[in-house]
């Protein structure tokens, strides 16, 4: 193996890893409760993201702050929105 072959293999691995790690962006809706550790999602969105009731999600904010929250289903929440 030469250096060019190794570099091309590394690039392919990086591209496949980037495809797997696609983040999902949801629009934040008005909060119903005052608890910052709970988020509500539509059941269809939860199924699409393979989440279940009581599961944990990592939310990344605009200012690079991370928050871990518990997911709860909410039928009144629109699809692709988070409350």
């Amino acid at each position: 193996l030469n250096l060019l072959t190794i570099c091309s293999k590394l690039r392919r691995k990086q591209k496949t890893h980037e495809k797997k790690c696609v983040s999902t962006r949801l629009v934040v809706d008005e909060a119903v409760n005052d608890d910052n550790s709970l988020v509500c999602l539509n059941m269809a969105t939860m199924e699409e993201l393979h989440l279940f009731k009581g599961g944990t999600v990592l939310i990344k904010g605009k200012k690079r702050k991370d928050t871990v929250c518990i997911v709860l289903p909410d039928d009144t929440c629109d699809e692709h929105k988070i409350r």
Side-chain angles (χ1 to χ4, degrees):
L1 294 172
N2 58 17
L3 185 60
L4 183 61
T5 308
I6 294 171
C7 289
S8 65
K9 285 183 180 182
L10 285 174
R11 280 192 212 116
R12 272 189 254 138
K13 283 184 180 181
Q14 288 174 345
K15 287 181 183 178
T16 56
H17 180 69
E18 288 172 4
K19 289 179 184 177
K20 290 180 185 178
C21 296
V22 174
S23 64
T24 303
R25 292 180 185 243
L26 300 171
V27 178
V28 178
D29 203 5
E30 185 177 339
V32 178
N33 56 7
D34 293 332
D35 192 0
N36 292 333
S37 64
L38 296 176
V39 294
C40 297
L41 291 171
N42 188 316
M43 198 62 185
T45 307
M46 287 178 65
E47 289 175 3
E48 181 183 328
L49 298 174
H50 304 290
L51 298 173
F52 55 91
K53 180 180 177 181
T56 56
V57 292
L58 177 67
I59 298 176
K60 295 187 177 195
K62 288 184 179 179
K63 297 182 180 179
R64 299 179 186 230
K65 297 207 177 193
D66 296 343
T67 305
V68 177
C69 295
I70 299 170
V71 179
L72 295 176
D74 185 7
D75 293 330
T76 61
C77 187
D78 295 335
E79 282 192 42
H80 303 292
K81 287 194 176 183
I82 190 168
R83 190 179 290 169

